[in-house]
Amino acid sequence: MTYKLPVIVTAALFTIGLQVKAQTVSTLDDLTLPGADTDYASSLPSAQPYSFQSGLVTYYGVLESWGGYGAFNYTNIVDTVTNSFTNDKAAITGSGYNSSNYGVAYLSADWPANPDKSALVVAKLEGAAAGRKVVGMYVTNSTWSIHYMNTTYENGDWYKLVVRGYLNNAQVADSVTYTLGSFATGDTV
């Protein structure tokens, strides 16, 4: 069994529910974008770290000098067809869960060298949500990752997202694993 993890982007549909007295939701619909089929990082004037907040969740990312982004970004791109690494900001679903805006997360190309090591992509719970448990989120693949897996993965290959929690900067025991691609006999993406 191998895990091929090239430069694959996974679109995480961030409708996140938190266990707080009243449920707090981070949909990203409270954030604006420059227009249709755009993303936040591409609208920034130059390479820089950035953050954005939706509900009581702050997401962190970076616009790289070569024009790509790292960690979190948000988008409303609806392209479910284009089979190219340039289509790294579109969810295969074409939208977020009940939302036109949705989040995407990107892991850098050097991560596959250490597949058992966590690649830290940070979202921080703020205010009344801090220290509470996240009770769920919607996750899917990007259009590019689906096309990439369908053309390069072989029997036994898989692609998983492991979400780990932290409290007071220390990892907690809880984690959730999302299988985003499984290529065992009879499986499909």
Side-chain angles (χ1 to χ4, degrees), residues 74-127:
Y74 68 97
T75 181
N76 61 13
I77 298 174
V78 297
D79 184 350
T80 62
V81 178
T82 303
N83 181 8
S84 169
F85 69 91
T86 62
N87 192 18
D88 61 351
K89 299 172 193 89
I92 192 64
T93 57
S95 69
Y97 178 78
N98 292 331
S99 175
S100 57
N101 290 350
Y102 56 93
V104 289
Y106 180 85
L107 301 178
S108 64
D110 60 350
W111 184 75
N114 298 296
D116 295 326
K117 183 178 179 185
S118 292
L120 206 54
V121 178
V122 177
K124 184 178 179 184
L125 305 181
E126 307 284 357

Side-chain angles (χ1 to χ4, degrees), residues 2-126:
T2 60
Y3 18 86
K4 295 179 184 175
L5 294 174
V7 180
I8 289 185
V9 178
T10 298
L13 306 184
F14 301 150
T15 303
I16 296 179
L18 309 170
Q19 264 185 349
V20 185
K21 290 181 183 175
Q23 183 176 5
T24 299
V25 177
S26 175
T27 66
L28 305 180
D29 271 339
D30 54 337
L31 303 175
T32 59
L33 286 164
D37 284 328
T38 60
D39 70 284
Y40 176 69
S42 296
S43 71
L44 298 173
S46 62
Q48 61 185 291
Y50 60 81
S51 65
F52 53 91
Q53 185 170 354
S54 175
L56 294 174
V57 183
T58 300
Y59 302 91
Y60 296 89
V62 63
L63 178 61
E64 304 287 359
S65 59
W66 50 270
Y69 72 95
F72 286 114
N73 188 5
Y74 68 97
T75 181
N76 61 13
I77 298 174
V78 297
D79 184 350
T80 62
V81 178
T82 303
N83 181 8
S84 169
F85 69 91
T86 62
N87 192 18
D88 61 351
K89 299 172 193 89
I92 192 64
T93 57
S95 69
Y97 178 78
N98 292 331
S99 175
S100 57
N101 290 350
Y102 56 93
V104 289
Y106 180 85
L107 301 178
S108 64
D110 60 350
W111 184 75
N114 298 296
D116 295 326
K117 183 178 179 185
S118 292
L120 206 54
V121 178
V122 177
K124 184 178 179 184
L125 305 181
E126 307 284 357

